[in-house]
Structures are given as C-alpha cells and as structure tokens.
Amino acid sequence: MGQLTELISQIITYTAIYALTSIGIVIGGRTGIFNISGEGIMLTAASAGFISAYTTGSWFIGFLVGAIVGGLFGLILIALHETLEINQFILGITLVILGTGISDLLYKIIIGVQLFAPEAPPVPQISIPLLSQIPIIGTLFNQNVIVYFTYLITAAAYYFFYHTRLGLETRAIGEDPQSADVVGINVKKRRYIATIVGGMLMGMAGTYLPMIITGTYTTNIANGRGFMAIGIAIFASWRPERAFLGAFIFATIEILAFQQQLSGSDFPYQFLLMIPFISVLIIMWLFRKKVEFPASLGQAYSRE
Amino acid sequence: MDKNITVLETKNISKSFGKVKALKDVNFSLYRGEIHGLLGENGAGKSTLMKVLYGLYSADQGDIFINDNKVNISSPLDSIKLGIGMIHQSSTLVPEFTALENVILGIEGKKLSLDLSGERIKVKKLANEFGLDFPLDVKVKNLSAGIKQKVEIIRALYRGAKILILDEPTTSLVENEFDQLLKSIKALVAEGVTVVFITHKIREVLQACDRASVLKDGEMMGTVSTTNTTKEELVEFMFQNKDIDVTDSALPVIELPEVKLSKEPVCSVKNISVKAQDKDGVNLQDISFDIYKGEIFGIAGISGNGQKEIAEAIINPRRINQGDIFINGESIAKLKTIEVFEKGLFYTPEDRKKEAILPSGTITENMLLGHHREKRFQHNGILNWNKITKEAQQSIREFQVKTPDEKTPIGDLSGGNIQRVVIGRALINELNLLITHNPTSGLDMGSVEFVFNKLVELKENNCGVLYINEDLDELMLISDRIGVVHAGKLVAIFTREQYDKYKIGSLMIGG
C-alpha cells in the first residue's frame, strides 16, 4: 500500500513536467504555430530559473524567471516567423541549439564550479485537507504547488478551448487562419499571445527540473523530455486534457524504467534509459490513425 | 433600387502585386438596394477590387466612400463594422466547426461562455426569412457547396451586412441552386441590402442584375444598366480587341468537327470499385463507361464526388478493388502508372500548381516530367539535356508559352501559361486517351481557347478524351456525351441531344 502510494506520488510529480510542456505546445499549435523548441526552452529555463532561485532564495522568483525565459523564446520564434517569414521548424531547431548552449553558459558564468552542488530552495508542499486522506489517490492532493498549478492549467486550457468563444476563435485560427481572418479575428495577435503563453508553460516545466526533480542544475537536465512532449501533444490530438493523460502515461513509463534501474537487476541500464524514447515511437505508431491535427499546423499565413 | 442614394463609391483605386498592376484608377459605385454585376474575365481584377473593399488587400492609392463619408478599411473587421459582408469564391468556413459555430465565430461581445441557445434562435429566424435554411449543428465539412454558401450569407447578414459581395457565387452551384440563390438575393434586396454579384458569365448578369460594371485588365470599362444593354455589348466591353467569338457563358465559340466514332472503345471502364485512399476521399462504386476514339467524354459533378478518384483509378489501376479497365481491348488492371502511360495515356490533374508541376523547376524540367524514362531523351542511360532543351524550346514556340526562356521556373508563369506547358507535355507523344481535370479553371480567354483547340485537335486525330469539369456550360459546349457522378457513383450518361441543364444539375446534387 505504502509502496503503491509512493509510486503514484512520484508519477504525479513527474507528470507535471510533461503536462506543462505538452500543453504549452498544444496552446501554440491551436493557432497553427508548432513550437518544437521545448527542449531548448526547458534547458535555458532550468538554468536561468535555478540560478535566480538559488541567488534570491525564492522558489517563486525561480519559476517566474523560468516562465519569462520561456515566453521570450516563444516571442523570438513568433516574431521571426511573422516578420521575416522564416519556417517555424527551422526556428524551432535553432532555438533548441541556442537553448542547449546558453543554459550551460549561464550557469558557468554566474555559478561556476563549486565543491558542493548548490541546492535549490524548497518548493512548498501542500496537502489538501480531506482529499489528501483518501487512500492511494489521496497522494494526488499531497503535492508541490506546481503540480496544483498544472491541474489548474489543464482544466483552464480545456475550459478555454472548448467552452469559451475566445477558445473557439483560437481553434479557428489553427484550423483555417483565412477563415478566422475574414470574420475579423486578429490572427497575428492571437498567434503571438498563444506562442508566448505556450513558451511560458514550457519554461516553467524547465525550471521544475532542478527545483523539484534533481534539486540542482546539471548539464542536459531536460534529457529529451522537451522532444517527448511533442509526441504527447500529437498523441493528444492537440487537446489539453488528453495531453495531461499522455503526460501521466509517459511519467509512468519513466518512473517504472527508473525503478527497474534502482532495483539492481542485471538488465543493462542503457536499455532502460531508452525505454521512454522507444515508448514514444510505439505509442505514436499505435495511435497513428486516431490522431487529428489542427489543419493549418506549421503553416505561415499572410493575406496577399 | 434607389438611384438617388449611393451607398458605396471608390475613387481611383490602384493596386499592384509586384510588377503586375492589378487595378488601375478604378472608379466604382453602388446604389442602395441594387444587384450590381461585376463582370470581367479571369484575372481582370474583380476579386482584387472586392478584397480591397473587404480589407483583405490594402490599396496602393485611392479612396473609399460609404454613404458619402470617406472611410479607412485596413482589415476585415473595419469592413464588417461598416456593414460590408463578403462571400468568397472558395469557402471560408472552418470545416471542423458546426454551421452555427461558424456563423457566430468572431462576433464581438462580452459573453464568455459558448452557450449558443440565444444565437440559435436568431440565426434560425434570419435564415428562414430569406429562404436560406441550413442544418445548424452539422460540421461544415459534411455540407455541400450550395449549403455552405447559405451559411456564409447568413454569417454576413448576422453581422449586420448591408452591402453583400458575392464572389463568383455560381461556380459550384447547379442551375436549380442558382435559381434558388437568385430568389434569396431578391428577398435581401427588398429589405434594403445592396448586392455585388461577381461573375464572368454574361448570361447570369443579364438574368440577375440591375446594373453591371465591366473590368478588363484592371481597368474599369464602364457601368451599364442591364435593361439597356445586350449580350453583344457586354462581350465587346469584356473582350475588346480580342479576336475571339464568345458565348454568353464567356466561353470561346468553337466548331466541333464531325468525327465518326469508332465501334470499339479506346477506353472501357468496367464495373470498377475503388476504396478511398484518405479520410475525406470518396469510394467509387461500380462505375462503368466507354470512351470511343475521337470522343470527348465529359464527367459532370460537384467537386469531390469521385471525379478525381475516377481519373486516378485509370492512371493507377492497381488501386482498383473490383472491376477492370481496358485500353484498346487490353486490360491494364495490373499495370503501374508508368506502364499505363506507355499505352498512350496522359493525365493533367485538377490542381495545376500542386499536382501538375514542380513550381521551382524550370519549364524544361517540367516538360520532361513523366517522359523522363523515354529512351529518346537519354544517352546511355543519362538524360540528354541538349535534346530535352531543344524539344522544350520547340514546345514553347508551338504552344505559345509566354516566357523569357525555357530556364524560367514554371512557378513564375501565369496560370494560362502553366496550363500551356502542362497540356503541351501531355501532347509530346501520340495519345490514345487524354484525361484532363478542370483544365480551363482560372484561365484567361486566350488560354481557354488554346485548351479547347487542343482538345478539338485530339478529337480529329481519333484520340479519346476524358474531360472532367465542374462547369456545366463548358461540358455541354465541348463534350459528345456527359456522365454525371454523385457520391462515387456514375448516375447517368447523357448524349448531346439529351443535354438539359436542370436535369443534369439536379442529378449532380443527388436529386
């Protein structure tokens, strides 16, 4: 019982990483902007967020800086795409490379090499009264604040896209920007907002890694999760609530592979490390015919 | 119509795209409550002028006045607020959304929630009033072109449009639907709405409009009252100095040669069924027809009812699930596309820019496409570019392609010139059967005439032609017989004596 609760608790803690990143991708994607730079955003936000939290001693400032960094990456992508008409995917790849380089650079300049790894300030844990007392699933309500934020974002994004007029309009842009344009929706503005907000969520997911998962910044801390989140967004057919489900599945796979590694079996750990990535391929293959895309995903729009 | 009140006026509107002057000092005015035809051949600038009025293009110079006030229109939102609504030539509805969602999309309001019960009643009432009813809760992708048009009109009216611009509204309508549309337009005009009716068909203008303005090469040729004008006068306006006889559907007059059809069909399609390749495709069910030597066999149907699938089944017969196809009595069911071409077939696809050419390739390269495996273009297995270039230069002369040279990327040419290359490519070798899908769509009169002449030439040379087109006027002009497709079935075949727009039209929409 205790073991199972512990396992679920860990999975939920990891779910937040994938959920925030993939919902960030989903939000941009719903306006047609496919931001594939999640890995670069996560790395830079991990570094910048951790440095800020460590130097100020405030977890909140850490996440705030992470979100700003992510938003900036989003802004760079959308601004270059809209003004210079550069292909979204080229920009995305460039930002991944930029983020990979900049994250270590920042850390080395500001923190440098230290004898003991600097520790992140603790992020508050909150137990919801009553709910957290339920056996097993109570652990869903005994988590750090960012996990609750993730629940909130999932619900809010779902409500926004499927129950508000603004959400309907946003989805219209992703389906057919010209149709949205002719009814007077400002396509460009909405694309800017969505890409920046999406970037901010990805940034928070990046900061989450040193703050919650490892406790300190390490090189390549995102470890491909930014790419796997793209798979989740696709598996989710670009729906936020399904992205959360996908995040939970991937977190489960990652934790189980990790547990296997700790259990000291003879199975080569290199293979265990591959499991999450291979799972992406398998899941993408299984769902290849079921997934749906916003029709204008990845395409530029201009009137003339 | 109230002749004393001008609701909209443009003064000296000019607009260029790169080097091309699309509009030159255009003056245009609308009276309140009139149906105003905007005539002109493809590329004359009709849509460009209206897109300027709708805020999709910004004019390089010139002024727009609404109710005598100078206005600034820089986006569709500005235009909507000024009471202008536009029904675009191709649907601008979001396919994945329901009709009702599309109608309310983008309407400004404080309401956050997507509860549409209030709107539902209002939209229903509005649609009912003008005879424009449509199912509210069906996804637009499942609606026919005629119904989509109704949704678009109601969407504009729901935003309070007083000036309604219809851009080529009859393109995907059959005759019966056109009558219905006209009825609705008349009802709108009775309520004080002003309608701009863009078309290239003179017949429709004379039938529907109070006045008509004619654009030619971006210039306004003049405005006439339809009661005081004749077909001949409008033709003169539209095609001045062009040495072409034109029908009232704005098609070149052609003389069909008397060709004695062969006894044996050149192409025989026998009971073929084909499963759709993608989600939105159509399943072909039990289709049979013969095409004889020297015959132009037309296929009529609303776009997306299996026309493309029929063409593709013939050039890629291995997709056929049931039935067989014979070319000169020989089954081709097991052949690859390249082997089908060797039997003297060629295909010019519907989507000229996406499917027929490689836009950044040169004219020479594009002319070679599909012929690249032929021995005569090779030297020891390597492409012989000298020979290919010579042949391309010859084709450019023969088909009068307007281009600086054969090295120009084909994507830089106009639609008419691209089509000349595409047709030219098909005619390099002697053909038994040409399959051609909408070859004239969007072309200027000279290029349409070119296409027609080539088809007539093929006919004289005993080649069969499978001519797929949505435009019934055109099919009736040039085809010896017309087969009608609907929902993947061939529902009827008409011979020339049996042609009847209404009969064929109602079969096209499943009547």
Side-chain angles (χ1 to χ4, degrees):
Chain A
M1 205 63 161
Q3 251 184 337
L4 182 62
T5 310
E6 178 55 27
L7 187 69
I8 293 175
S9 174
Q10 267 188 344
I11 290 171
I12 288 293
T13 308
Y14 273 69
T15 299
I17 313 167
Y18 290 113
L20 285 173
T21 316
S22 55
I23 291 172
I25 298 170
V26 165
I27 291 174
R30 279 293 167 189
T31 65
I33 303 295
F34 199 157
N35 184 353
I36 60 164
S37 70
E39 184 79 2
I41 293 181
M42 286 173 87
L43 285 170
T44 310
S47 163
F50 174 76
I51 293 166
S52 316
Y54 174 67
T55 48
T56 61
S58 157
W59 65 272
F60 184 80
I61 290 181
F63 279 100
L64 186 67
V65 168
I68 292 171
V69 165
L72 267 176
F73 268 70
L75 177 65
I76 293 171
L77 186 138
I78 189 67
L80 292 180
H81 176 64
E82 292 288 337
T83 57
L84 301 180
E85 292 171 18
I86 304 174
N87 179 290
Q88 296 174 14
F89 300 98
I90 304 285
L91 284 169
I93 291 167
T94 310
L95 289 178
V96 170
I97 296 167
L98 178 77
T100 311
I102 225 172
S103 52
D104 268 6
L105 183 69
L106 274 178
Y107 188 80
K108 277 177 186 150
I109 290 174
I110 299 172
I111 305 287
V113 183
Q114 300 208 351
L115 194 53
F116 298 103
E119 276 182 39
V123 176
Q125 290 270 334
I126 297 174
S127 291
I128 309 271
L130 294 176
L131 284 177
S132 57
Q133 304 302 318
I134 305 169
I136 301 176
I137 59 161
T139 184
L140 268 64
F141 302 101
N142 187 12
Q143 293 285 341
N144 69 70
V145 282
I146 304 299
V147 169
Y148 295 108
F149 176 78
T150 308
Y151 295 159
L152 198 73
I153 280 289
T154 309
Y158 169 75
Y159 185 81
F160 173 79
F161 281 122
Y162 297 100
H163 294 281
T164 73
R165 295 181 181 222
L166 218 54
L168 185 75
E169 291 175 13
T170 309
R171 280 191 288 134
I173 297 169
E175 290 298 335
D176 188 348
Q178 203 200 352
S179 299
D181 192 15
V182 299
V183 294
I185 297 169
N186 191 334
V187 173
K188 206 179 231 187
K189 187 172 119 192
R190 302 280 177 91
R191 284 189 158 181
Y192 267 92
I193 294 173
T195 315
I196 292 170
V197 170
M200 288 170 83
L201 295 182
M202 294 185 225
M204 288 181 68
T207 308
Y208 192 87
L209 298 169
M211 301 292 285
I212 307 277
I213 305 293
T214 57
T216 188
Y217 174 81
T218 57
T219 298
N220 192 28
I221 193 168
N223 196 23
R225 294 187 186 98
F227 290 120
M228 284 194 280
I230 297 171
I232 297 174
I234 294 169
F235 154 81
S237 288
W238 303 84
R239 296 180 66 110
E241 75 284 7
R242 282 190 212 162
F244 187 91
L245 177 70
F248 182 82
I249 294 170
F250 277 79
T252 308
I253 293 167
E254 185 175 346
I255 293 293
L256 289 180
F258 186 61
Q259 297 256 329
Q260 190 63 34
Q261 199 181 329
L262 288 185
S263 70
S265 74
D266 292 338
F267 199 71
Y269 77 95
Q270 287 90 342
F271 284 100
L272 293 173
L273 290 177
M274 285 181 210
I275 287 174
F277 300 98
I278 292 167
S279 319
V280 177
L281 292 180
I282 293 171
I283 289 175
M284 297 291 278
W285 179 75
L286 285 175
F287 286 86
R288 71 196 178 281
K289 286 199 171 146
K290 299 223 171 71
V291 296
E292 289 170 358
F293 290 80
S296 82
L297 188 67
Q299 292 167 15
Y301 173 68
S302 68
R303 281 177 187 164
E304 291 182 17
Chain B
M1 170 174 57
D2 199 334
K3 283 195 175 178
N4 303 318
I5 305 172
T6 303
V7 285
L8 180 143
E9 194 171 12
T10 72
K11 281 189 182 151
N12 303 320
I13 296 274
S14 292
K15 172 75 184 168
S16 298
F17 296 106
K19 282 180 201 155
V20 183
K21 284 209 114 190
L23 295 175
K24 298 167 203 160
D25 290 324
V26 172
N27 295 314
F28 173 75
S29 72
L30 281 178
Y31 295 150
R32 171 177 295 165
E34 72 169 331
I35 305 177
H36 193 120
L38 188 55
L39 260 175
E41 67 171 314
N42 289 313
K46 308 180 298 275
S47 292
T48 307
L49 178 62
M50 291 302 125
K51 281 182 176 168
V52 167
L53 290 180
Y54 196 62
L56 281 169
Y57 294 163
S58 58
D60 300 334
Q61 58 174 34
D63 297 316
I64 302 167
F65 298 85
I66 294 211
N67 298 326
D68 294 329
N69 299 316
K70 193 175 156 186
V71 293
N72 185 15
I73 299 176
S74 62
S75 78
L77 192 59
D78 294 337
S79 180
I80 292 167
K81 282 181 178 162
L82 289 164
I84 300 174
M86 184 160 175
I87 315 309
H88 299 261
Q89 192 175 357
S90 49
S91 165
T92 58
L93 300 169
V94 182
E96 285 297 322
F97 291 2
T98 67
L100 183 61
E101 283 172 337
N102 266 290
V103 171
I104 63 105
L105 190 69
I107 284 188
E108 287 182 312
K110 293 278 177 282
K111 217 167 142 195
L112 173 76
S113 123
L114 248 185
D115 170 27
L116 301 177
S117 47
E119 278 90 344
R120 177 183 299 275
I121 297 164
K122 280 193 246 168
V123 170
K124 242 192 175 141
K125 200 173 152 234
L126 190 65
N128 210 286
E129 192 178 340
F130 297 109
L132 292 164
D133 298 281
F134 54 82
L136 296 181
D137 298 310
V138 176
K139 277 191 182 177
V140 162
K141 67 173 177 187
N142 298 323
L143 297 177
S144 73
I147 303 278
K148 278 187 209 165
Q149 195 172 62
K150 292 180 183 180
V151 179
E152 294 216 37
I153 295 175
I154 288 301
R155 182 175 72 179
L157 295 175
Y158 193 70
R159 268 147 242 259
K162 290 283 164 215
I163 299 168
L164 206 57
I165 301 165
L166 302 168
D167 190 357
E168 303 265 6
T170 54
T171 309
S172 46
L173 295 191
V174 302
E175 206 63 22
N176 334 27
E177 289 175 310
F178 173 56
D179 290 352
Q180 262 185 40
L181 174 70
L182 200 55
K183 233 178 172 176
S184 296
I185 290 179
K186 295 236 156 105
L188 284 168
V189 167
E191 294 293 316
V193 175
T194 309
V195 175
V196 181
F197 189 100
I198 304 178
T199 181
H200 61 273
K201 293 188 177 176
I202 296 159
R203 179 170 54 83
E204 290 175 354
V205 163
L206 291 173
Q207 199 179 338
C209 302
D210 302 309
R211 290 197 303 159
S213 296
V214 181
L215 272 172
K216 181 170 173 282
D217 300 331
E219 279 181 77
M220 184 57 79
M221 306 308 291
T223 301
V224 292
S225 159
T226 50
T227 46
N228 304 330
T229 191
T230 57
K231 180 199 138 196
E232 287 70 26
E233 196 183 8
L234 289 173
V235 169
E236 173 68 19
F237 261 138
M238 271 173 85
F239 302 105
Q240 264 168 36
N241 312 325
K242 289 201 178 170
D243 205 13
I244 297 175
D245 282 335
V246 179
T247 71
D248 62 359
S249 301
L251 291 170
V253 174
I254 48 157
E255 297 247 337
L256 280 181
E258 280 293 320
V259 174
K260 203 157 176 272
L261 302 184
S262 61
K263 274 213 181 94
E264 293 301 317
V266 60
C267 171
S268 182
V269 174
K270 288 229 186 304
N271 309 90
I272 59 163
S273 296
V274 184
K275 239 183 131 211
Q277 296 291 304
D278 49 47
K279 270 191 217 161
D280 304 322
V282 182
N283 294 320
L284 293 183
Q285 296 166 52
D286 197 24
I287 290 196
S288 301
F289 60 86
D290 292 328
I291 304 172
Y292 296 91
K293 285 180 185 165
E295 181 182 44
I296 299 178
F297 185 79
I299 298 257
I302 305 286
S303 173
N305 273 287
Q307 294 95 319
K308 190 177 172 179
E309 285 78 3
I310 291 176
E312 290 183 353
I314 298 174
I315 61 151
N316 190 3
R318 290 191 301 177
R319 279 197 195 157
I320 300 174
N321 300 103
Q322 264 172 39
D324 205 345
I325 297 175
F326 300 89
I327 297 295
N328 287 328
E330 219 179 304
S331 166
I332 58 166
K334 293 200 170 63
L335 301 188
K336 297 178 200 163
T337 300
I338 193 85
E339 294 161 343
V340 171
F341 282 180
E342 283 164 9
K343 301 276 173 204
L345 265 72
F346 219 88
Y347 173 44
T348 74
E350 172 185 23
D351 193 330
R352 201 176 298 142
K353 285 214 164 131
K354 280 197 189 135
E355 294 183 340
I357 56 164
L358 306 173
S360 55
T362 65
I363 294 176
T364 310
E365 286 166 341
N366 274 283
M367 282 194 162
L368 183 67
L369 273 184
H371 298 292
H372 54 281
R373 296 200 193 186
E374 288 168 23
K375 284 261 156 32
R376 63 197 175 109
F377 293 127
Q378 296 178 359
H379 183 74
N380 299 333
I382 292 167
L383 287 174
N384 182 348
W385 282 107
N386 279 334
K387 190 161 183 217
I388 295 164
T389 306
K390 266 188 201 137
E391 187 115 3
Q393 285 164 339
Q394 198 193 324
S395 293
I396 287 171
R397 274 195 302 277
E398 187 183 338
F399 300 115
Q400 293 159 21
V401 182
K402 266 189 232 159
T403 170
D405 55 33
E406 77 285 351
K407 295 194 262 316
T408 308
I410 195 168
D412 293 353
L413 304 184
S414 71
N417 284 308
I418 292 175
Q419 195 65 326
R420 282 165 197 256
V421 175
V422 172
I423 301 255
R425 174 172 72 199
L427 304 183
I428 288 183
N429 294 333
E430 211 159 282
L431 286 181
N432 285 318
L433 178 70
L434 175 70
I435 302 166
T436 182
H437 195 166
N438 285 358
T440 56
S441 74
L443 300 191
D444 61 283
M445 189 55 57
S447 299
V448 175
E449 196 192 26
F450 166 84
V451 173
F452 279 6
N453 286 339
K454 286 297 157 198
L455 294 181
V456 168
E457 245 170 65
L458 285 173
K459 190 175 166 62
E460 283 169 337
N461 292 332
N462 277 321
C463 172
V465 177
L466 179 63
Y467 191 61
I468 305 171
N469 204 313
E470 278 167 64
D471 190 318
L472 204 46
D473 289 320
E474 209 175 309
L475 281 173
M476 286 169 50
L477 188 70
I478 201 162
S479 313
D480 295 294
R481 287 185 298 152
I482 296 176
V484 184
V485 289
H486 179 259
K489 288 184 190 151
L490 189 71
V491 289
I493 295 178
F494 291 82
T495 57
R496 198 162 252 287
E497 308 78 58
Q498 301 166 324
Y499 286 177
D500 177 335
K501 265 190 181 177
Y502 285 91
K503 248 190 213 154
I504 298 178
S506 75
L507 286 172
M508 279 164 76
I509 52 174

